[in-house]
Every structure is written in structure tokens, then in C-alpha cells.
Amino acid sequence: MRRALLVALIVGYAAVGAPAQQGYSVTQTVTLPRTSYVGDRIELRVGIRPSGSVSVTEPEAMPQASWAEFHNLSVIRRSNEYELRLVLTPYEPGTLTLPPIDLGDIEIRELNVHVSSVLEDAATEPAPPYRQAVLPYTRILIGGVAAVLLVVPLGFFAVARWGRGRIRQVLAVYRTRRPYRKILKTLRALESRIEELEARRFYIDLLQELRRYFSEKLDRDLMSATTAEIESYLRQVLPQVSDREALVELFRYGDLVKFASRKSRLGERRAHINELRRVLDRVERSAGTSNENTRNEEACRVGA
């Protein structure tokens, strides 16, 4: 009697306890990618269908195994099923069994992943050595470097031999035209302020800059020279009599405005600026022609 009761209890426990321990069925198992190797990141997707009122929840801790590193674990509900997603990186080849995964009322066991090894189908004998590889465009690069090494010294030699004189000429022209650039800048400034400047202040600034211009052109100090003295010096840079007379007349007119309080209309001041631009342009052209003739004569002497 006691033996029969014991057997009935065991059978009843097996009938009731087994579903409580199992409580689910695996509907599908997918491994992404389908073929993986040691060191690859794998995602295992497992479809789970719980039975009855079994509750499925995500575990609080990741599984642990000596042969893999587990990165992420999530449980996604899909209608009356759940999908377990597990991301891991295996470090051993073969068919590997995952540790049990606790999902609340159920515990997932016997999940396997197959990991291939890159050495399974590899040749057992070492491959023969390959010949030394040549980087792309190596010949072009070597040719370019050689050309640079050849052309650069020749370029320096050419510049030193023929370009040095040309550079000196360019610098000389730049220095020669510097007074002209300065006075043109002054004329633009005076023209922009011509309506607000008093006539006396206008001619003081204009004639002072004009004296400075001819002082640099003639290499003489004309800042304190009289109008008569300036007239005598202008013959060196103004071959046309009309240009000399126009400048002398400008100096005399400006002196009358500065010292004799002569009235000056705005139109007269504008006319003086325009006339001065034309005269200075002819001065520079004449100086450029003279310098070019001098350089040609020097070149002829050097060639001879």
C-alpha cells in the first residue's frame, strides 16, 4: 500500500513538475550569419512559444562562458510568441552549447552555435614565397623624383644666370614708380574730400605732395624751393613746354590761394587734379622710355 502511494506521488510530480520546468517550445533557431568563423560577431535568434500562463522576462545578467564574449541579449514579444536575440563573439571552433539562459519562469537550455575555423580547409604545407611586390605607379614616382632632382638645379642655375638681371630690372622699375603711386593715392584722397576741404588746405596738401614727388624723381630736395627754382628743375623731367607751363601755373595759383587769400572755385580744383594726372602720366611715360633705352644700350655694350 505504501509502495503504491509512493509510485502515485512520483508519477503525479512528474506530470505536474515537468511542464513547470519546461513550460515552452522552441519554434525556430536562426544564426546570422549562417556561416561564421572564430572571432566573428554572431546573432542568434530563437523563437519561443511559452505554454499556459508562463511569464517571459529579460534576464538581469548576461550569460557567461569561457569560450565567448556576450554583447547583448533582448527578448521581443510577437503575438503569442517571443523572440530571443543574443549577440556574441565566439573564440573557439566547433559546435558550442550556450549556457542556460534564465527568462523568468523558463530557462532556455541546449542552444547550440556552430563556429567554423579558417584552418579547416587550409593547406597543410606552407605556400611558396611570392616575389617582391611593386607598389602602383612606382616607376612614375621614381621618374618624377629624378626629373625634379634634375630640373630644380637647372632652374636655379638659369635664374642665377639670366634671371638675376631681370629681377634687378623689375625691382628698379618698382622703386622708380613708387613716387608716382604715392601721388596718385594722394590725388584720390584729395578728390574724395574736395567738397569738405578749404581751398587753402587743399592746395597746401596738393603742392606739398607734388614737391615730394619731384624731389624723389630728381633726387633733389625741392620741399623748400621757390616756384622759380622748381621751374628750372622741371626741364629735366618735362620735355614739353606746355606741361612745364601747366605745372608752373599750378604752383603760382596755389601760392596765391595760400598766401594771398585768392578765392578758388570747386570746378577749378577739380580741373587742376585732372590736369595734374595727365601731366604726371606723360612724365612717367617719358621716364619709362628713357629707362628702356638706357637698358638696351647697356645690353648692347654687354653683348659687344
Side-chain angles (χ1 to χ4, degrees):
M1 183 65 180
R2 291 180 178 177
R3 182 177 296 177
L5 181 60
L6 180 61
V7 171
L9 288 173
I10 294 174
V11 173
Y13 176 80
V16 177
Q21 289 296 324
Q22 187 72 17
Y24 71 92
S25 60
V26 176
T27 59
Q28 66 173 355
T29 303
V30 178
T31 304
L32 301 175
R34 299 186 64 180
T35 302
S36 58
Y37 297 90
V38 174
D40 289 346
R41 180 168 289 206
I42 302 172
E43 183 176 357
L44 182 65
R45 298 183 179 182
V46 182
I48 302 171
R49 179 175 297 169
S51 59
S53 59
V54 172
S55 176
V56 177
T57 59
E58 292 186 2
E60 296 181 357
M62 300 286 289
Q64 300 294 325
S66 60
W67 49 267
E69 179 182 358
F70 295 89
H71 305 290
N72 185 40
L73 189 153
S74 60
V75 177
I76 304 172
R77 183 165 186 173
R78 302 184 184 280
S79 185
N80 60 339
E81 293 188 2
Y82 293 86
E83 185 179 69
L84 169 67
R85 292 189 178 184
L86 179 62
V87 182
L88 68 151
T89 300
Y91 298 113
E92 292 182 9
T95 301
L96 307 174
T97 301
L98 274 66
I101 303 174
D102 186 5
L103 298 181
D105 292 346
I106 62 175
E107 187 176 63
I108 307 297
R109 295 175 176 270
E110 304 300 328
L111 292 179
N112 299 322
V113 291
H114 181 74
V115 182
S116 303
S117 174
V118 294
L119 299 178
E120 289 178 354
D121 300 327
T124 56
E125 295 294 332
Y130 289 98
R131 63 184 182 87
Q132 187 174 2
V134 179
L135 295 175
Y137 307 108
T138 300
R139 294 184 178 86
I140 297 176
L141 181 61
I142 294 175
V145 172
V148 170
L149 294 178
L150 180 63
V151 170
V152 170
L154 291 178
F156 277 117
F157 176 77
V159 170
R161 180 64 179 85
W162 294 287
R164 185 167 52 189
R166 182 60 180 172
I167 292 174
R168 284 200 301 265
Q169 292 178 3
V170 171
L171 293 177
V173 171
Y174 180 83
R175 287 192 295 266
T176 301
R177 291 181 63 86
R178 183 165 52 191
Y180 182 58
R181 292 193 300 270
K182 288 171 59 178
I183 195 170
L184 289 182
K185 182 178 179 181
T186 301
L187 292 179
R188 287 193 298 268
L190 288 175
E191 193 171 27
S192 65
R193 302 171 55 210
I194 194 169
E195 295 182 359
E196 60 187 69
L197 284 177
E198 295 181 355
R200 184 173 183 276
R201 180 75 264 173
F202 172 83
Y203 283 103
I204 288 175
D205 294 344
L206 179 65
L207 297 183
Q208 183 179 9
E209 192 62 33
L210 193 55
R211 288 173 182 272
R212 185 177 293 111
Y213 169 79
F214 283 112
S215 295
E216 295 185 17
K217 295 292 289 185
L218 297 171
D219 196 20
R220 292 177 180 273
D221 186 7
L222 302 180
M223 301 304 294
S224 58
T226 63
T227 300
E229 292 173 339
I230 292 176
E231 182 179 6
S232 64
Y233 289 127
L234 289 180
R235 292 187 177 90
Q236 302 178 32
V237 291
L238 289 173
Q240 295 187 17
V241 177
S242 59
D243 291 340
R244 293 199 303 271
E245 291 178 349
L247 286 184
V248 171
E249 178 61 27
L250 174 60
F251 273 101
R252 290 172 179 170
Y253 185 91
D255 289 341
L256 291 175
V257 174
K258 290 190 299 180
F259 303 114
S261 300
R262 176 172 178 172
K263 300 295 183 180
S264 174
R265 295 190 299 272
L266 187 62
E268 292 176 316
R269 280 173 270 167
R270 293 187 187 276
H272 283 155
I273 289 180
N274 293 331
E275 180 65 23
L276 185 56
R277 283 198 180 104
R278 288 191 291 269
V279 173
L280 294 178
D281 180 65
R282 286 191 287 269
V283 171
E284 293 298 319
R285 289 182 183 179
S286 176
T289 303
S290 176
N291 293 334
E292 185 67 26
N293 293 334
T294 302
R295 288 194 294 269
N296 292 336
E297 292 176 359
E298 293 177 353
C300 292
R301 288 197 297 271
V302 171

